[in-house]
Amino acid sequence: AVVALVTVWNLRLRHAVEQKTEALKRIISELSEEAGRRRLLFETSHDGIVAFSTDCRVFEANQRFADLLGYSTDEVMGLHVWDWDAVYTKDDILGMADQLGNVGEVFETRHRRKDGSVFEVEVCSSACLWEGRKLIYCSCRDITERKGYEAELLKARQAAEAANQAKSEFLANMSH
């Protein structure tokens, strides 16, 4: 009777362990799928994505961000924001990182590539907590071409306004 009782207990225990094992396998699979989807979004973004800690050292960056700056992803991992930002000082950047909240900010700046060339960038930034520490997440878009178009439009508008002013002055002189 004792052997039968132990056998039944062992079977129940084995069944419970198998159920827990299957549940854990399912959870691990779901987490792995989610991590894969997030990695895919991160790596296929048309924008450069970089996350850094409050000391402004890169925590993570996608390939697009490294490509924008002309570095390998391994090289980017050793950088601080002031290594590529061509507008703000180290103190400015540290202050901005300290003040940034989870609402975030959108601003324009210029980034310096590894070769020293500079390009116009729009940065969307926000802070988040990850494992108890604050990280700053930035999406960076090269807007050099857009800025060129904006400058051309401004010149064209100014030329049109100057031509309109000259025409008005000419007509005013002719009427006198």
Side-chain angles (χ1 to χ4, degrees):
V2 171
V3 171
L5 186 61
V6 168
T7 302
V8 168
W9 193 82
N10 280 342
L11 288 173
R12 287 182 182 165
L13 185 60
R14 178 182 291 153
H15 180 70
V17 167
E18 287 173 357
Q19 284 181 326
K20 296 287 185 189
T21 302
E22 288 303 314
L24 283 174
K25 285 180 182 177
R26 189 177 66 255
I27 290 169
I28 289 169
S29 175
E30 289 170 2
L31 287 173
S32 178
E33 280 183 37
E34 182 175 342
R37 280 191 309 272
R38 290 177 187 269
R39 176 58 52 191
L40 182 65
L41 290 171
F42 186 75
E43 288 301 332
T44 60
S45 173
H46 290 287
D47 294 334
I49 300 172
V50 62
F52 49 91
S53 53
T54 53
D55 69 354
C56 298
R57 185 179 182 86
V58 174
F59 176 79
E60 187 171 15
N62 69 356
Q63 184 64 51
R64 178 68 179 137
F65 183 77
D67 292 345
L68 282 171
L69 296 179
Y71 290 98
S72 70
T73 51
D74 288 339
E75 290 173 313
V76 167
M77 296 305 292
L79 298 177
H80 290 83
V81 177
W82 49 84
D83 293 324
W84 69 77
D85 193 280
V87 173
Y88 298 102
T89 67
K90 177 181 176 180
D91 289 336
D92 291 338
I93 292 167
L94 287 168
M96 290 165 60
D98 185 53
Q99 297 299 314
L100 187 64
N102 61 355
V103 173
E105 291 184 28
V106 177
F107 61 95
E108 293 179 4
T109 187
R110 290 189 309 275
H111 284 174
R112 186 181 318 99
R113 292 184 181 96
K114 183 179 180 179
D115 67 8
S117 62
V118 175
F119 62 103
E120 301 285 335
V121 180
E122 178 181 75
V123 178
C124 299
S125 62
S126 62
C128 61
L129 286 179
W130 188 72
E131 293 187 352
R133 66 181 183 170
K134 180 179 175 181
L135 291 179
I136 288 109
Y137 171 90
C138 296
S139 175
C140 304
R141 178 172 292 170
D142 183 342
I143 58 168
T144 305
E145 191 173 316
R146 183 184 88 194
K147 292 299 238 179
Y149 292 143
E150 288 173 0
E152 287 176 26
L153 283 172
L154 180 61
K155 284 180 189 175
R157 189 178 89 213
Q158 289 171 338
E161 288 172 356
N164 194 33
Q165 180 67 30
K167 180 180 115 180
S168 295
E169 289 173 7
F170 176 75
L171 291 174
N173 287 336
M174 293 299 289
S175 66
H176 288 301

